[in-house]
Amino acid sequence: MITTTNNDRYFFFLVSFSCVLSVAVVALGAFTRLTEAGLGCPDWPGCYGFFTVPQTALEQQAAATFFPQTPLEPQKAWNEMLHRYIAGSLGLFIAAINIMAWRKPSRPKLLPSLLLCMVVVQALLGMWTVTLVLMPAVVMAHLLGGFSIVSLLWLLRLQLQSPPSIITNIAAKPLRRLQIAAIISVIAVFFQIALGGWTAANYAALVCSQLPICEANWQQLFDAKAFLLVQPPHDSYQYGVLDYGQRVSIHVVHRIGAMITTVVVLTMAWLCWLQHSLRRYSFGLMLLLLVQIGLGVTNVVASLPLAVAVAHNVTGLGLLVMMVSVSYRVGVGSRRSRTIVQPLPQE
């Protein structure tokens, strides 16, 4: 376990700042997607052949000449480029984290290396999002990549903090059950986020406007082909290419997934409540879950308000990060407990 010393203070601050910046990237990514600015710039990494959004009359004329099929919309282009600028800055900070990590033997190496690989993959996904004209599988993967980077940065930050307090007074069997439940909870939340990404990427968020499931006869409309990651090629996937029944299928599965995830999170919160040292996580999980449910309901009844939809993405990220924290806590804290209580060798 690595503690934060004076020598590691700047490294810890760099990781912490990068973590905050990664959350901003996710929020801006959601904002870009929800404002239909994902193709605000039809090329990558520039915008209409320039390093920034074309502004002068000459630049705009050149943009119209080279990209006649995609007229320039300055506001959408700026939304897209702002997201790229901040995401690029995050990539540079993660590169700096790797340089600092490998300069000192005591600093962790695995997570920084994974983060650097994720940044490269995320950059490729960002490029393919544009070049493959919002192909749903790529859009969803891009969203999951952003969430993964935040989670890995947070996990690295946890490693750099002082060691967590020892988990005591928990028998081996209940502790093992708690660890398994934490892993299942992380998987459930991550899978539900993927369903949300698939719903957004296929423009299925507004096909059902009633609660709790859908006003449509979804049992008869259900089509498993809606979940095929490889869809037939299209000139553009913007605004969706699936039919009504397929979009209903996606939306309903996302809602059912939300119900299952709610049960999983509530169970994890209850298990944390039973352990005095984990009760603060129980409060955090309950708060985030209630906020997320409220935001999800508001998205349905108010037809996806922009601010609420972005907050729904960020709160889902918060739930994932909280679950990662719990998993780390019950894993590392219990290992320290077993290490410390080992009997001394007999003389």
Side-chain angles (χ1 to χ4, degrees):
M1 178 62 59
I2 298 174
T3 58
T4 304
T5 64
N6 289 333
N7 292 332
D8 284 324
R9 183 180 304 169
Y10 294 116
F11 185 58
F12 178 77
F13 286 163
L14 177 60
V15 172
S16 300
F17 178 78
S18 299
C19 190
V20 173
L21 189 63
S22 67
V23 175
V25 171
V26 168
L28 278 171
F31 180 81
T32 301
R33 184 175 64 255
L34 290 163
T35 55
E36 296 301 335
L39 295 178
C41 296
D43 50 341
W44 189 94
C47 189
Y48 288 89
F50 299 92
F51 288 111
T52 184
V53 177
Q55 301 181 63
T56 67
L58 185 61
E59 290 176 343
Q60 292 177 0
Q61 183 179 358
T65 301
F66 289 111
F67 298 93
Q69 303 300 322
T70 52
L72 172 64
E73 296 182 67
Q75 186 58 58
K76 290 185 178 181
W78 275 116
N79 290 350
E80 171 66 3
M81 289 307 294
L82 180 62
H83 178 234
R84 292 184 189 181
Y85 292 149
I86 297 181
S89 299
L90 176 62
L92 294 177
F93 280 114
I94 289 177
I97 288 173
N98 273 267
I99 293 172
M100 293 186 69
W102 287 95
R103 289 183 63 184
K104 190 172 182 179
S106 62
R107 289 172 180 161
K109 307 293 188 298
L110 177 59
L111 285 178
S113 299
L114 287 175
L115 279 164
L116 192 60
C117 292
M118 281 299 305
V119 165
V120 174
V121 172
Q122 192 72 341
L124 290 173
L125 289 170
M127 177 184 67
W128 292 332
T129 297
V130 176
T131 58
L132 297 178
V133 285
L134 301 181
M135 181 182 286
V138 176
V139 173
M140 182 184 69
H142 194 48
L143 178 141
L144 293 178
F147 278 53
S148 298
I149 287 175
V150 176
S151 300
L152 290 173
L153 280 168
W154 181 253
L155 188 58
L156 178 58
R157 188 180 184 279
L158 290 176
Q159 283 190 354
L160 295 172
Q161 285 181 321
S162 299
S165 56
I166 302 169
I167 296 179
T168 56
N169 301 323
I170 305 180
K173 189 173 181 180
L175 180 58
R176 182 61 178 167
R177 188 183 305 124
L178 190 62
Q179 292 170 338
I180 294 173
I183 295 172
I184 293 174
S185 298
V186 171
I187 295 172
V189 171
F190 191 82
F191 186 72
Q192 179 60 14
I193 290 169
L195 281 175
W198 192 245
T199 302
N202 286 282
Y203 296 85
L206 295 176
V207 294
C208 297
S209 59
Q210 294 183 5
L211 296 167
I213 300 296
C214 189
E215 66 272 17
N217 189 357
W218 64 270
Q219 296 95 333
Q220 292 185 358
L221 291 172
F222 188 83
D223 186 354
K225 293 180 181 178
F227 299 93
L228 293 177
L229 294 179
V230 180
Q231 299 176 352
H234 290 81
D235 292 336
S236 176
Y237 296 89
Q238 192 170 27
Y239 307 117
V241 298
L242 301 182
D243 61 34
Y244 176 71
Q246 290 172 323
R247 297 190 199 200
V248 167
S249 302
I250 294 172
H251 189 109
V252 168
V253 169
H254 179 51
R255 289 199 190 182
I256 294 174
M259 297 175 188
I260 296 172
T261 304
T262 297
V263 174
V264 172
V265 174
L266 286 175
T267 302
M268 193 68 234
W270 176 70
L271 291 173
C272 290
W273 177 259
L274 294 178
Q275 310 302 328
H276 186 270
S277 59
L278 298 175
R279 284 191 175 178
R280 65 182 183 276
Y281 296 109
S282 179
F283 285 117
L285 288 172
M286 287 297 297
L287 177 62
L288 288 168
L289 180 62
L290 289 174
V291 171
Q292 186 71 337
I293 292 173
L295 291 170
V297 171
T298 304
N299 276 332
V300 173
V301 300
S303 299
L304 207 67
L306 178 59
V308 176
V310 173
H312 193 56
N313 278 261
V314 175
T315 307
L317 174 61
L319 265 175
L320 179 62
V321 168
M322 182 65 71
M323 284 300 184
V324 169
S325 299
V326 174
S327 298
Y328 176 79
R329 176 73 173 83
V330 299
V332 176
S334 63
R335 286 198 297 271
R336 290 190 68 238
S337 177
R338 290 195 299 270
T339 300
I340 292 177
V341 300
Q342 286 179 349
L344 296 174
Q346 298 294 327
E347 294 183 0

